[in-house]
Amino acid sequence: MSKILVIGACGQLGTELTQSLMNRYGHDNVIPSDISDKKEFYKNNNFETLNVLDKEALLNATKNHGISQIYLLAAVLSAKGESDPMFAWKLNMEGLLNVLEVARTENLEKIYWPSSIAVFGPSTQKEMTPQETIADPNTVYGISKLAGERWCQYYFDKYGVDVRSIRYPGLIGWKGQPGGGTTDYAVEIYHKAFNGESFECFLEEDTYLPMMYMDDAIRATIELMEADPEKVKVRSSYNVSAMSFSPKEIFNAIKLHYPQFEISYKPDFRQKIANSWPYSIDDSEARDEWGWNPNFDLGKMTEEMLTNLASKEVV
Ligand code: AKB
């Protein structure tokens, strides 16, 4: 049985992915780790407090737990990265290089590392952005993800490291809150509606961005990681897609459930980031090569989000 180390297990994606990995492969076979000490998420597990920038600590954790797979989820996202570009670069790049090096020297089975639609930029084709196209990111986050994709390809080609990756769109889930992204508005809006508050959106009403419900994102990740290696032809990072919508459209979808809900728009620096990203993504390679197919559209996601927020409240 593989032993999995999840780095960044207390974040928005990490919280849900770790739980799914534990359910699938057994609690003892998944070691959650994070720089934050929110260990309460993982009371009964072998939680490791780990800074991915500390290569020796990473190596020790890998050896001590007999780790064979690493999921590296720790990163500074697009909006937050702009307030301290040097730190964003350091964490996003050195973190990945540390993991790739440990994978190489310790002969690990597999590595998962997320990329993002942020690898694309102002000159990229906006509609149905293809897998291979111009990528001229203008955020430090996007630049680090694009460079990271090249490093993944390099370690695969040169050392045979089995590294797999997805270019996530904005991820929307009800369990954890995102931190520091440009697509975060699409999570916060549900919380505001559910709490009976109005919502001030930091993007203009017609800003289309690719998005995905967390359940689809988790399933995509696990399906890619379980795919036969020969089927995984893209070793930089796969485009995956589920839905695209604007703030106005998500507001209208929520208003069907909360007719009193109100929105106002006050675009800030994140508008420029959003304007540089695609409206929609062509994910034919992921569909053809390892069978990717999303389950959630905006309507179905909205029902799930609001129902789950209500059940969380009851518990
Ligand atoms: C962000 O908004 O920075 C992230 C992303 C699209 O990678 N959610």
Side-chain angles (χ1 to χ4, degrees):
M1 192 30 123
S2 303
K3 200 97 187 250
I4 300 173
L5 176 67
V6 182
I7 302 173
C10 296
Q12 184 207 13
L13 172 62
T15 318
E16 299 211 31
L17 184 55
T18 306
Q19 201 54 58
S20 300
L21 293 172
M22 284 174 171
N23 294 344
R24 199 164 173 86
Y25 304 122
H27 280 234
D28 293 344
N29 294 316
V30 181
I31 310 295
S33 79
D34 205 291
I35 194 169
S36 113
D37 57 358
K38 287 193 216 146
K39 297 179 197 156
E40 66 272 10
F41 286 156
Y42 300 109
K43 272 187 220 105
N44 304 320
N45 292 96
N46 300 318
F47 183 89
E48 279 276 342
T49 304
L50 181 68
N51 178 355
V52 69
L53 295 178
D54 185 342
K55 195 172 167 195
E56 210 179 306
L58 172 64
L59 188 58
N60 287 338
T62 304
K63 285 183 172 163
N64 292 344
H65 292 284
I67 296 298
S68 49
Q69 298 187 14
I70 299 180
Y71 286 62
L72 169 56
L73 309 178
V76 178
L77 299 187
S78 58
K80 188 150 180 241
E82 296 306 292
S83 61
D84 190 349
M86 287 305 120
F87 178 69
W89 177 257
K90 188 177 170 67
L91 178 66
N92 295 359
M93 287 324 311
E94 271 178 40
L96 173 61
L97 287 170
N98 285 348
V99 169
L100 289 172
E101 268 301 278
V102 168
R104 178 180 74 82
T105 59
E106 300 309 299
N107 237 328
L108 300 192
E109 228 172 66
K110 265 180 233 175
I111 299 297
Y112 181 76
W113 172 79
S115 185
S116 160
I117 55 159
V119 295
F120 300 119
S123 311
T124 305
Q125 172 185 322
K126 295 257 182 240
E127 298 275 3
M128 294 302 277
T129 302
Q131 177 68 42
E132 300 288 346
T133 185
I134 296 173
D136 58 345
N138 57 10
T139 60
V140 67
Y141 172 65
I143 297 169
S144 71
K145 288 296 181 188
L146 185 57
E149 289 190 6
R150 301 324 310 156
W151 277 115
C152 290
Q153 181 81 57
Y154 184 88
Y155 269 75
F156 175 74
D157 289 341
K158 187 152 177 151
Y159 305 118
V161 172
D162 187 350
V163 51
R164 306 178 182 202
S165 175
I166 283 174
R167 288 174 178 152
Y168 289 126
L171 300 185
I172 299 163
W174 56 276
K175 287 187 187 147
Q177 290 276 2
T182 303
T183 57
D184 294 5
Y185 88 87
V187 178
E188 206 194 330
I189 193 169
Y190 285 109
H191 289 266
K192 291 285 183 189
F194 177 73
N195 292 326
E197 296 169 37
S198 59
F199 178 62
E200 185 180 272
C201 186
F202 58 74
L203 297 181
E204 284 160 4
E205 62 176 8
D206 289 324
T207 311
Y208 274 83
L209 287 171
M211 301 278 185
M212 184 176 280
Y213 189 48
M214 189 60 85
D215 291 26
D216 270 342
I218 303 287
R219 191 168 51 77
T221 306
I222 292 177
E223 284 177 10
L224 173 62
M225 285 299 274
E226 289 185 354
D228 286 342
E230 327 66 84
K231 289 194 174 160
V232 184
K233 300 215 163 58
V234 174
R235 292 299 183 153
S236 50
S237 189
Y238 273 100
N239 276 7
V240 292
S241 166
M243 63 184 103
S244 288
F245 56 76
S246 64
K248 191 158 99 189
E249 287 179 353
I250 190 174
F251 169 69
N252 286 334
I254 294 173
K255 225 172 143 57
L256 292 176
H257 302 262
Y258 289 90
Q260 312 298 330
F261 187 41
E262 283 178 12
I263 192 167
S264 59
Y265 299 94
K266 196 170 173 212
D268 65 16
F269 73 100
R270 289 168 280 195
Q271 184 65 48
K272 186 167 166 239
I273 300 177
N275 288 347
S276 75
W277 289 351
Y279 305 148
S280 58
I281 298 288
D282 177 353
D283 60 358
S284 335
E285 276 84 351
R287 287 172 189 257
D288 295 347
E289 289 166 17
W290 46 275
W292 166 241
N293 203 5
N295 280 340
F296 288 86
D297 60 13
L298 178 57
K300 194 168 165 199
M301 174 176 77
T302 299
E303 271 170 35
E304 284 278 316
M305 281 295 287
L306 296 174
T307 310
N308 283 317
L309 285 175
S311 67
K312 190 175 162 189
E313 193 81 343
V314 170
V315 174

